[in-house]
Structures are given as structure tokens and as C-alpha cells.
Amino acid sequence: MSDGTDRPSGRSVPIPGLGDPARLRALAETRLAATPDDAFDRFARLVADLLDVPVALVSLVDAERQFFPGETGLPQPWADRREAPLSHSFCQHVVDLETPMVLPDARLYPRVRDNLAIPDLGVVAYAGMPLTDLDGRVLGSLCAIDSKPRAWTAAQLRTLADLAAACSSELRLRIALDGAEQARRRAEEAHSRLALLAGLSETLAGTLDIGTALRQLTATMVPLLADWCVVSVVGPDGGLHDVVAAHRDPARAADVARFAQLMRTRLGPGSITLTVLRTGTPVLGGAATLADVRSGTIGSEMPEIAERLGFASHLTVPVTDTGRDRVLGTVTLVNGPARRHLDDGDLLTAVEIGRRAGQAIGNSSMYGEQRHVAHVLQHSMLPPLPTDDRLELAARYQPAADRVEVGGDWYDVFRQPDGDLVAAIGDVAGHDIEAAATMGQLRNLVRGNAYGRTDAVADLMRHLDDTIRGLRIPAVATAVLVRLRSDGRGGQSVAWCNAGHPAPLVVRADGTVEALAAPPEPLLGLTAPVRRTTHHATLAGGDTLLLFSDGLVERRDQPIDTGLDELADRLRGTESLPLDRLCDLLVTAAHRREDDIALLAVRAR
């Protein structure tokens, strides 16, 4: 046993071994603190009773202090505090020496004679036995203290050593329980990660909008994987274009949103995000400081925000589009000091998230490009509206909200040589490029078939049937064909023929709504000839004729007649609305735009 005389100086000097990370980790795993613990208080009382000492301690020592989960006999205020600084610690030397320390009179030993425990805690005689974990690391000591000199007997020291061994077993049990609890938490986390990954592809596949996909991704990861996260996507110029962030604390929403905004312009050359974008290699900062943020950003605002959000560990992985072998963006996960550090397991999960997110974002980008091309193609097939002193015209085409394909809805208006106006609206079955191509053919056939001819509209429609059948155009379509002719009294005579299309509506100048209903007739493009009928109506000044495709009124959960009735109700009282505003109102009110919408409005002046 050491008598403590092997150091020449009795003054307190730093002991490097106290800061050993493995020792401190084991100490933390005991989950003990400067608070009473029944089991260790019992050990202290046993020492006091069996060795007949006024003070006994279960003393654990970290890098900055000693604390007492078990104690008896300490004077105030130390008994309430349950801790003391290292300037008052004899037990730190047991940790340093890794052997028992036995002092009959501490005032005679240079190592400790200037220790403030002598005057402040009344420590004179001291006997301390190491408390160890399973790997033999000394976490503290079980010690007996007397306020006067005493000669410790071999029996007393043997008893103290036996109690220290039992006390060490209790510490090891606490560490094992903590390990089991950590293992349980890790198992739960692993299960949650698997569940997250299983549902992530489905979640991301539910939308083809990049912004929505990013918001869903951040909401999925926080707080399950991290305290906060940032997902970024590069634009065509290679810079960050879309940046979305989320924090587990709703009160930090403004801070995390500002951090995401600054990422577009305030990342410096040392930025981890830019490095991952450039190299495609993940980066794990298992233990981090704000210096990591300062080294990669410009100015002080982002480090200040990161400090408020919590920044103790982080990782960044690429969002990869494996099909095109390119990096589309990054995913960054961050934990604050109150949560465990991110590790290799988190990194593997994040890499897989980045891969799945890359597939979704790549699909979204492709969808956006295709949708733009499709819309340009669709609108190129829709003609400009003619001007007319006697008629006001407006039209709208609106694609379905959740589909990229061009469709078969169309409208057309053109003037005849005799001054009549011919209007048509139709819908070719299908929602693909073939439907759009057929729609273009059909629209051109209507023009070529009707232009310059004075035939009744039923004859024009029947001739269109014959042309489709004779040229073997693979078209099944609905259509309404209308001729408007001035009646010489300020109004318009309307002749129309309907081939299986929703009935046009007329909004009268007095606000009433009428349907141009007639017995149903077959669709265009059928193999056998069919009869077609011309019907007649009039438009007085201020009356509005509406031609529309079924996307304006049809819903999956109700009959089309219900949608027509709802449209008629919506139109009542709209007679004074400007025609453009009326069209916008009708298109905006269409329920979820489950289908393309074509709309043509004609108002008699």
C-alpha cells in the first residue's frame, strides 16, 4: 500500500489520468450524480460502523470534481452538496495511483498535506480503496475518514477492501444496466430506422413536386434520426437552389428556416455541404463544435443560429441519382449536446436515405421537364381567339394537377367567310401523347370540314364522322359544334350539334342558367353511321354561352349530372362578371382538377 510520500510536492497538481475518455465514459454510464443513492449510502454506513469512523464516502472522481452518491458524517455544507472540488479531494490520488491509499495522519504527507480537505472537511486519517469497472479503470474510492490520527489495522483495511469490492460490483451492475438500456434504445432506433426506410420510398413516391418531397423528407427524419436536419438540392447552375430544414422544436422554426435560407449564399470554400456536393463522399462529425460551422460559412450569423439550434455532432451525405451518376444535393443531420453523438450507424442510414431521396428528386426533375414540354405542346395546339365586335370570347386550358401527360381536350373558334363564327370543343379518349396527336388531327379536320361551308352543323358533324371512319383515324371522341350568326337585332342565333359531350350552358343576362340539352347522340369515331341533329337557341345581349370539357364537372366520387348541377349553381349571379374573371373562377373552383379542363366562353355584346 502506498503511503503517499512518492511525490515531493504536497500542493494540488493536475492529474492527467482523471480526463481519460474511456474512464469518464464508464463513469457516465453509472448514471450516478451528486445526489443520494440508497445503495451507496448503505455502503458508506457499513464502512462507518465496521471501521468505527465518523465519516465514510463512496467518492467518484471526474475531470473537475469528486461527488458522493454515498456518504455519512460529512459536515455541512458538504453533506447537502454531495460534491467537492479537486482541491478538497484525497480520492483523486487513489484514481491516479490505481492502488489503495492509507494515511494515518495526512498532515505528514507531502502529496496531500496542503489539500483543503484537511482544514475544511476535517480529514486527518484517511484510508481509500479503489472502485473499478470491469476493465479495471479506477472510477473513485470507498474511503474511511477520521478527524484525528489513527493507526489503521490490517483487519480494518481488509474489511474496507471487501466492501470496496462489493461496491465495485454495484458500480459494474449500474454500468451493465446502462449498457442494456442503451442496447434497448439502439434496437428501438434500428427498428425505427428500418420502418423509416421501408416507408420512405412510398412517401417520396407520393409526390412529383420537389418542394413537397423535400418537406416530407425533413419531416420524416426529425426527430427520429436527429434534432434538426437540412436537405439541399442543386439547380441547373450547380448552386444550391432548394434548401429545406426542420427542427424538432417548433419554437426554432424561424431559426432553422433562416439557416436554410443563408445556405444559398453564405457557404464558404471550407463548407462541408459544398465538399460533399463536389466529391459525393459522406462526412461524419461524431463530436463537433461550432468551429466546424465557422470554418465553412461566411460571417457570424450561421454559427450564431447553429448555437441556438444545438450543434454537437453532425453528418452530411450526398443525395445521389444513381441512374445518371450525379450528385443532386445533400442531407445534413445534426444533434445538439443533449442527444447522443451521431455515429457510423446513423451515417449508413443517412446514405440510404440520400440514395432513395435521389431517386425521388431525379424523378421529380424529369417530371418537371416533361410537364413543361407537354404544356408547351398542348398550348401550341390551342388556337388564338378571333376578335369580333358583336361577341366577346375567352378560353382556358388547365391540365390535371397530378399528371405530366398531354391530353385530348381541345377547343377551337374560327370565322367563316360569310361572317359566321364556328366554335367547337371536344375530348379525345386518353391522356397520352397519342391522344394529343389524335386531338390535333381532329381539330384540323373540324376546320377543314367546316370552313367555307354553309351546311347545317348536324351535316358538318356527320361528315366529320364519315371522314374519321374513312381515313381510319383511331379516335373515340366527344364534341360539340356550334355556329353563331348575327340575328340582325343585336343578338345571335345559335345552331349546335352534340356528339356525346356535356351539354353547353347559357348564362342569361338576368342571371338565370339554362342547359342546351337535347336527346343524347353517339360519340364521334364509331364504326357505323349515325344520325346527327341540329338544335337551335338564341343569345341576347349580355347572354354568355359556355362550352367545356368534362374535367370541369366530373369527379370520381359522384355522377357527372351532380357536377353539372353544381356548375349551374355556381354560375347563377355571375352574369355581370367580366368574361376572363368568370373563366378563372370556374377553373379555380374545379375540384382537385382530376382531369384536363378545356373551357370556351362566348358572350353577346
Side-chain angles (χ1 to χ4, degrees):
M1 296 181 186
S2 170
D3 63 2
T5 61
D6 54 346
R7 282 188 180 172
S9 172
R11 297 192 176 275
S12 177
V13 294
I15 298 176
L18 298 184
D20 174 55
R23 195 189 75 85
L24 293 176
R25 185 163 54 250
L27 191 62
E29 288 171 355
T30 67
R31 298 293 183 103
L32 294 169
T35 55
D37 183 278
D38 289 342
F40 292 104
D41 275 343
R42 283 194 292 272
F43 277 109
R45 290 194 297 270
L46 281 170
V47 170
D49 293 342
L50 295 174
L51 274 67
D52 192 23
V53 291
V55 178
L57 303 174
V58 176
S59 175
L60 302 179
V61 184
D62 63 21
E64 298 176 350
R65 59 167 187 160
Q66 61 180 353
F67 56 97
F68 315 122
E71 72 83 26
T72 186
L74 272 180
Q76 294 294 350
W78 311 102
D80 286 342
R81 292 176 182 171
R82 290 267 178 163
E83 67 177 5
L86 295 181
S87 59
H88 293 65
S89 174
F90 279 31
C91 298
Q92 65 178 315
H93 300 295
V94 176
V95 175
D96 183 29
L97 296 170
E98 298 184 337
T99 60
M101 189 168 76
V102 178
L103 307 174
D105 188 340
R107 296 169 297 185
L108 303 179
Y109 296 92
R111 179 188 289 270
V112 295
R113 66 188 176 194
D114 294 327
N115 193 293
L116 295 180
I118 296 173
D120 291 351
L121 280 72
V123 178
V124 176
Y126 174 90
M129 298 292 169
L131 298 175
T132 60
D133 67 4
L134 275 174
D135 295 314
R137 288 181 284 260
V138 180
L139 308 182
S141 76
L142 179 66
C143 59
I145 297 170
D146 204 336
S147 58
K148 61 182 183 296
R150 73 183 291 169
W152 303 100
T153 69
Q156 288 174 329
L157 296 178
R158 187 167 55 250
T159 297
L160 186 61
D162 288 344
L163 290 173
C167 191
S168 293
S169 295
E170 180 66 22
L171 286 174
R172 294 166 187 172
L173 177 61
R174 300 296 179 93
I175 293 171
L177 288 173
D178 181 73
E181 177 62 21
Q182 287 190 29
R184 184 190 64 79
R185 289 198 301 269
R186 288 300 182 92
E188 290 179 349
E189 287 179 0
H191 182 270
S192 298
R193 289 175 182 175
L194 289 174
L196 180 148
L197 292 174
L200 185 61
S201 296
E202 182 178 351
T203 298
L204 294 176
T207 178
L208 288 173
D209 176 72
I210 289 180
T212 301
L214 295 185
R215 287 189 294 273
Q216 290 177 343
L217 183 59
T218 57
T220 299
M221 293 187 293
V222 172
L224 177 61
L225 298 181
D227 286 338
W228 55 287
C229 72
V230 183
V231 181
S232 66
V233 177
V234 296
D237 61 354
L240 294 185
H241 182 265
D242 294 287
V243 185
V244 177
H247 196 282
R248 67 182 307 159
D249 182 359
R252 292 297 179 193
D255 273 340
V256 79
R258 177 60 176 165
F259 192 92
Q261 181 184 19
L262 291 171
M263 282 186 63
R264 294 185 178 91
T265 58
R266 306 301 288 172
L267 295 182
S271 163
I272 292 174
T273 297
L274 297 183
T275 300
V276 173
L277 283 174
R278 185 175 65 255
T279 66
T281 302
V283 173
L284 172 63
T289 67
L290 290 173
D292 292 353
V293 184
R294 295 190 188 99
S295 65
T297 58
I298 301 169
S300 62
E301 188 175 1
M302 290 184 75
E304 291 170 357
I305 295 174
E307 184 175 19
R308 293 196 296 271
L309 295 175
F311 192 89
S313 66
H314 64 89
L315 64 82
T316 299
V317 300
V319 173
T320 53
D321 183 357
T322 54
R324 300 188 182 184
D325 192 26
R326 59 175 179 163
V327 177
L328 301 176
T330 61
V331 172
T332 297
L333 303 180
V334 186
N335 273 348
R339 190 164 177 171
R340 68 167 181 82
H341 289 171
L342 295 163
D343 58 21
D344 290 335
D346 300 303
L347 185 65
L348 290 174
T349 301
V351 167
E352 180 62 17
I353 288 172
R355 186 186 69 79
R356 299 190 187 200
Q359 293 175 343
I361 292 171
N363 290 341
S364 296
S365 299
M366 189 180 303
Y367 165 80
E369 295 169 2
Q370 292 175 347
R371 189 173 177 84
H372 174 71
V373 170
H375 291 173
V376 170
L377 174 62
Q378 185 85 42
H379 283 281
S380 71
M381 297 180 180
L382 301 175
L385 301 178
T387 58
D388 192 298
D389 293 338
R390 297 162 299 174
L391 296 169
E392 181 184 359
L393 293 97
R396 295 290 184 273
Y397 173 78
Q398 183 67 57
D402 58 355
R403 199 181 62 242
V404 68
E405 297 94 340
V406 292
D409 291 20
W410 58 279
Y411 63 83
D412 197 7
V413 188
F414 56 92
R415 185 176 302 286
Q416 294 280 43
D418 61 5
D420 291 353
L421 206 68
V422 174
I425 196 159
D427 185 357
V428 175
H431 298 292
D432 51 25
I433 205 71
E434 286 80 7
T438 303
M439 174 269 290
Q441 286 183 287
L442 188 57
R443 193 202 70 173
N444 290 334
L445 284 177
V446 169
R447 283 198 165 203
N449 183 57
Y451 184 77
R453 298 181 60 170
T454 59
D455 306 49
V457 289
D459 295 335
L460 295 176
M461 190 77 85
R462 188 166 50 251
H463 188 256
L464 183 61
D465 269 325
D466 295 340
T467 303
I468 294 172
R469 189 166 50 253
L471 295 178
R472 298 185 178 180
I473 297 173
V476 175
T478 66
V480 173
L481 187 63
V482 179
R483 175 185 280 118
L484 294 105
R485 174 177 296 168
S486 174
D487 62 6
R489 300 186 299 276
Q492 296 283 323
S493 64
V494 180
W496 88 92
C497 181
N498 189 336
H501 200 79
L505 297 178
V506 176
V507 182
R508 298 297 180 184
D510 62 4
T512 59
V513 178
E514 299 175 13
L516 297 187
E521 295 186 1
L523 283 65
L524 291 170
L526 300 183
T527 56
V530 297
R531 291 178 58 83
R532 300 294 182 190
T533 307
T534 299
H535 305 277
H536 298 276
T538 60
L539 291 182
D543 291 348
T544 302
L545 171 67
L546 289 176
L547 309 176
F548 50 89
S549 62
D550 57 8
L552 190 66
V553 294
E554 191 171 40
R555 286 171 47 179
R556 295 186 183 97
D557 58 350
Q558 69 179 27
I560 192 171
D561 288 345
T562 302
L564 289 168
D565 292 340
E566 291 176 353
L567 176 60
D569 291 340
R570 197 178 304 130
L571 286 168
R572 290 186 179 93
T574 62
E575 67 281 354
S576 61
L577 281 180
L579 213 54
D580 280 322
R581 283 188 58 192
L582 175 61
C583 290
D584 290 337
L585 173 67
L586 296 179
V587 170
T588 302
H591 181 74
R592 291 186 57 201
R593 299 205 312 273
E594 294 172 346
D595 197 357
D596 298 334
I597 296 172
L599 173 65
L600 177 63
V602 182
R603 177 174 290 169
R605 296 182 187 274

